[in-house]
């Protein structure tokens, strides 16, 4: 009897609409975040993460309404990432019904923001999102990863594992770790990266980037030591349901909420 | 018409709690999110949520002049404490170098520690975040139609350690076995978040919105 490993579907939202084509046959409006969230909840999702990829700040308010609507109907934890830059952004999302916010670029820009946000709102609602890419090995031939911002486009020169440690020291309650090398490839998580970060920090780590099948999800936990696994496309296109994913993980000896 | 007051003392987002209670309550129930003393005194049932640190919670209760109100309503009508709203019912918390709490029940709030391990010796993450089982120690109206060892959503680094064993309504394993629900008379309090615990959580809230405060 233990804590269940979590399965978290992730939805990219642009100006209030889900993008990257969610294709459920029995969903009327594949772009409606509320309908999709409701569907994932019914399938047994442990949490839902929304990534706001809206470019224009005028339309950011739309995300608030999306969260309000989802939180009125879906009673599992909701995380919102994308565009969280200041305390006011966090307050707005929490008041709308989000349980956690994911901070990425703003943390790199000003690490103290994570400390202030955790102190003020509580660690439980502050997730630090880390986008990492493998770089040249260190002098001893060990793999190294650095963090990138702006959707993986801008290198920072910061070591991913040191950064994860620092962010957890600053009080974040969780780390959402995405391998930019694997994101979108469907080749599986970067397990070495996932394990290195997960073993380095006291807080839970969500593995993200690269899931193409159910075995990848199980590997994230068994080999990557992740506390939760996040995926988008394998669920969106109806290849696998969340329930199938959980049943598969349970068969691999992983504790899940069924 | 029955009224449920969700006590709002500025500690975190109460929208989810209020929405879930509305969803679970019988039609026509008024759900008020409020810090007004009179509105809390007038309510038929009380939900006492809370998140964040113990120091901030106790300070916020004092600033909103709600300490005596919470103590009073915890003594005389159906009362549901959630998360920090459970912890501060005890006498003292280890958090923030030691904080005196409401003392509705005897006992302390303790830190999980930084070296918590499972049976296999693997280090466990803090906060305890995610879905874990609650073992119901005894029947209670709020457990009605909830299976033994059902999973609820938790997120916390401290846990309640009541002095009196008969307070314990539920227990959960995370490196240690800790008390995840307490109950006595008109009070039921739970460490997990029923408002985020899908079907099981809604069931518990539904039971609460129909509970007369008797065991």
């Amino acid at each position: 009897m233990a804590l269940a490993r979590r399965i978290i579907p992730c939805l990219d939202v642009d100006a209030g609409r889900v993008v990257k084509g969610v294709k459920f046959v029995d969903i009327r409006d594949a772009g409606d975040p509320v309908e999709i969230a409701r569907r994932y909840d019914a399938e047994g999702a442990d949490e839902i993460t929304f990534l706001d990829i809206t470019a224009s700040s005028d339309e950011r308010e739309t995300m608030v309404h999306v969260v309000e609507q989802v939180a009125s109907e879906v009673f599992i934890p909701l995380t919102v990432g994308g565009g969280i830059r200041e305390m006011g952004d966090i307050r707005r999302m929490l008041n709308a019904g989000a349980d956690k916010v994911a901070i990425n670029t703003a943390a790199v820009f000003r690490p103290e923001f994570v400390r202030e946000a955790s102190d003020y709102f509580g660690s439980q609602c502050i997730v630090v999102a880390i986008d990492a890419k493998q770089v040249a090995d260190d002098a001893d031939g060990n793999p190294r990863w650095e963090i990138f911002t702006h959707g993986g486009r801008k290198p920072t020169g910061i070591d991913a594992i040191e950064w994860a440690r620092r962010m957890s020291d600053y009080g974040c309650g969780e780390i959402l770790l995405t391998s930019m090398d694997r994101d979108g490839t469907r080749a599986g998580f970067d397990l070495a990266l996932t394990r290195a970060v997960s073993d380095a920090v006291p807080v839970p780590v969500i593995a993200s980037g690269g899931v193409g099948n159910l075995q990848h999800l199980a590997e994230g936990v068994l080999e990557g030591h992740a506390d939760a696994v996040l995926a988008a496309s394998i669920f969106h296109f109806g290849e696998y349901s969340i329930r199938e994913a959980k049943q598969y993980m349970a068969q691999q000896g992983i504790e899940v909420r069924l | 018409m029955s009224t449920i007051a969700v006590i709002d003392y500025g500690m975190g987002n109460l929208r989810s709690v209020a929405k879930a209670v509305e969803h679970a309550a019988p039609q026509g129930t008024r759900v008020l999110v409020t810090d007004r003393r009179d509105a809390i005194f007038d309510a038929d049932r009380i939900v006492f949520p809370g998140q964040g640190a113990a120091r901030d919670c106790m300070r916020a209760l004092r600033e909103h002049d709600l300490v005596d109100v919470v103590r009073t309503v915890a003594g005389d009508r159906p009362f549901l404490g959630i998360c920090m709203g459970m912890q501060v019912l005890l006498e003292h918390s280890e958090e923030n170098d030691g904080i005196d709490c409401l003392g509705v029940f005897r006992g302390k709030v303790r830190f999980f520690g930084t070296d918590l391990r499972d049976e296999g010796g693997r280090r466990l993450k803090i906060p305890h975040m995610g879905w874990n089982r609650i073992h119901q120690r005894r029947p209670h109206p709020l457990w009605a139609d909830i299976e033994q060892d059902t999973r609820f959503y938790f997120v916390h680094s401290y846990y309640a350690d009541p002095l009196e064993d008969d307070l314990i309504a539920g227990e959960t394993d995370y490196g240690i076995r800790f008390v995840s629900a307490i109950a006595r008379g008109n009070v039921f309090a739970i460490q997990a978040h029923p408002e985020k615990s899908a079907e099981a959580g809604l069931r518990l809230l539904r039971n609460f919105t129909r509970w007369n405060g008797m065991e």
Side-chain angles (χ1 to χ4, degrees):
Chain A
M1 233 165 66
L3 187 65
R5 303 293 173 150
R6 288 168 280 155
I7 295 189
I8 307 174
C10 176
L11 296 168
D12 286 359
V13 179
D14 185 1
R17 303 284 296 170
V18 174
V19 293
K20 285 197 192 167
V22 175
K23 290 184 185 163
F24 289 129
V25 281
D26 53 344
I27 268 190
R28 269 173 295 127
D29 181 358
D32 179 9
V34 182
E35 195 163 358
I36 295 164
R38 217 188 283 133
R39 159 74 174 250
Y40 283 141
D41 175 36
E43 283 184 2
D46 295 313
E47 292 183 29
I48 297 175
T49 291
F50 292 100
L51 193 58
D52 185 10
I53 58 167
T54 309
S56 132
S57 53
D58 302 348
E59 285 177 333
R60 290 223 174 268
E61 201 56 26
T62 320
M63 194 62 206
V64 173
H65 299 306
V66 168
V67 174
E68 278 175 357
Q69 283 176 32
V70 174
S72 307
E73 296 186 42
V74 174
F75 301 104
I76 57 175
L78 306 175
T79 301
V80 180
I84 304 292
R85 297 201 179 89
E86 46 191 77
M87 299 292 264
D89 298 327
I90 301 175
R91 182 181 296 109
R92 217 164 20 252
M93 286 305 171
L94 297 181
N95 284 343
D99 299 281
K100 314 179 207 179
V101 293
I103 304 173
N104 190 339
T105 303
V108 178
F109 191 65
R110 198 171 71 81
E112 285 296 320
F113 177 45
V114 171
R115 199 196 295 272
E116 291 160 15
S118 303
D119 275 351
Y120 189 83
F121 296 103
S123 292
Q124 81 286 339
C125 61
I126 304 300
V127 181
V128 167
I130 298 178
D131 291 342
K133 260 188 207 179
Q134 190 160 3
V135 293
D137 293 355
D138 70 10
D140 303 324
N142 298 314
R144 282 187 68 244
W145 298 267
E146 282 184 7
I147 58 168
F148 284 67
T149 59
H150 299 84
R153 292 191 307 275
K154 286 195 184 169
T156 64
I158 302 169
D159 180 81
I161 293 156
E162 277 171 28
W163 179 245
R165 278 207 193 96
R166 184 169 173 203
M167 289 295 95
S168 91
D169 287 346
Y170 279 22
C172 78
E174 196 167 43
I175 284 170
L176 168 55
L177 176 68
T178 303
S179 160
M180 301 312 292
D181 299 311
R182 296 302 178 90
D183 203 27
T185 66
R186 303 172 63 89
F189 294 120
D190 182 336
L191 295 172
L193 166 69
T194 306
R195 189 168 53 244
V197 171
S198 194
D199 290 352
V201 296
V203 298
V205 171
I206 305 167
S208 156
V211 174
N213 58 46
L214 300 185
Q215 194 189 333
H216 292 154
L217 293 174
E219 285 169 358
V221 172
L222 297 172
E223 295 177 43
H225 300 174
D227 300 279
V229 286
L230 180 140
S233 59
I234 65 159
F235 298 131
H236 296 342
F237 297 110
E239 278 169 76
Y240 304 102
S241 69
I242 305 264
R243 203 166 303 283
E244 284 167 335
K246 288 188 163 184
Q247 280 160 354
Y248 178 83
M249 288 172 79
Q251 285 163 13
Q252 308 300 305
I254 298 168
E255 190 123 6
V256 290
R257 175 178 73 108
L258 281 169
Chain B
M1 192 171 62
S2 157
T3 302
I4 300 174
V6 178
I7 300 182
D8 177 12
Y9 52 108
M11 290 309 289
N13 137 49
L14 303 183
R15 188 186 165 88
S16 303
V17 176
K19 285 288 167 193
V21 172
E22 273 170 20
H23 192 88
Q27 199 123 56
T29 306
R30 271 176 76 209
V31 178
L32 283 178
V33 177
T34 182
D35 68 343
R36 283 181 33 223
R37 296 169 57 91
D38 55 343
I40 296 167
F41 275 128
D42 286 346
D44 302 292
R45 292 184 176 76
I46 305 294
V47 176
F48 182 48
Q51 51 180 234
R55 174 195 56 210
D56 300 336
C57 268
M58 287 308 299
R59 185 193 295 144
L61 281 172
R62 279 191 297 271
E63 282 171 4
H64 287 75
D65 193 19
L66 290 174
V67 170
D68 64 314
V69 182
V70 173
R71 284 203 183 108
T72 302
V73 295
D76 69 2
R77 68 198 76 187
F79 182 103
L80 176 64
I82 297 174
C83 193
M84 184 55 76
M86 166 182 179
Q87 295 185 2
V88 296
L89 294 178
L90 298 181
E91 292 167 299
H92 189 84
S93 172
E94 281 183 2
E95 200 171 3
N96 310 120
D97 302 319
I99 296 292
D100 285 330
C101 298
L102 293 171
V104 173
F105 300 118
R106 302 201 54 200
K108 288 190 168 165
V109 178
R110 301 185 192 280
F111 182 45
F112 274 123
T114 51
D115 194 34
L116 202 61
R117 287 172 190 273
D118 68 9
E119 312 90 76
R122 280 163 303 196
R123 191 179 51 140
L124 292 170
K125 299 299 183 79
I126 299 293
H128 173 226
M129 183 187 287
W131 297 79
N132 207 340
R133 298 181 189 277
I134 298 184
H135 187 77
Q136 300 163 19
R137 272 276 295 262
R138 55 185 162 96
H140 190 282
L142 266 63
W143 292 140
D145 302 317
I146 297 172
E147 275 183 45
Q148 181 60 286
D149 298 321
T150 292
R151 290 185 190 275
F152 284 77
Y153 185 78
F154 288 84
V155 48
H156 62 123
S157 303
Y158 292 78
Y159 63 94
D161 184 13
L163 194 68
E164 293 156 284
D165 198 62
D166 67 349
L167 269 176
I168 302 173
E171 289 178 315
T172 296
D173 290 330
Y174 193 62
I176 55 165
R177 175 159 294 182
F178 70 92
V179 176
S180 50
I182 56 177
R184 178 177 289 164
N186 59 296
V187 175
F188 188 95
I190 182 165
Q191 179 63 60
H193 288 272
E195 77 280 12
K196 288 291 161 184
S197 295
E199 280 306 307
L202 291 173
R203 171 59 64 179
L204 187 132
L205 292 175
R206 184 186 146 85
N207 292 340
F208 174 71
T209 61
R210 289 156 177 83
W211 184 37
N212 63 4
M214 316 267 274
E215 288 206 30

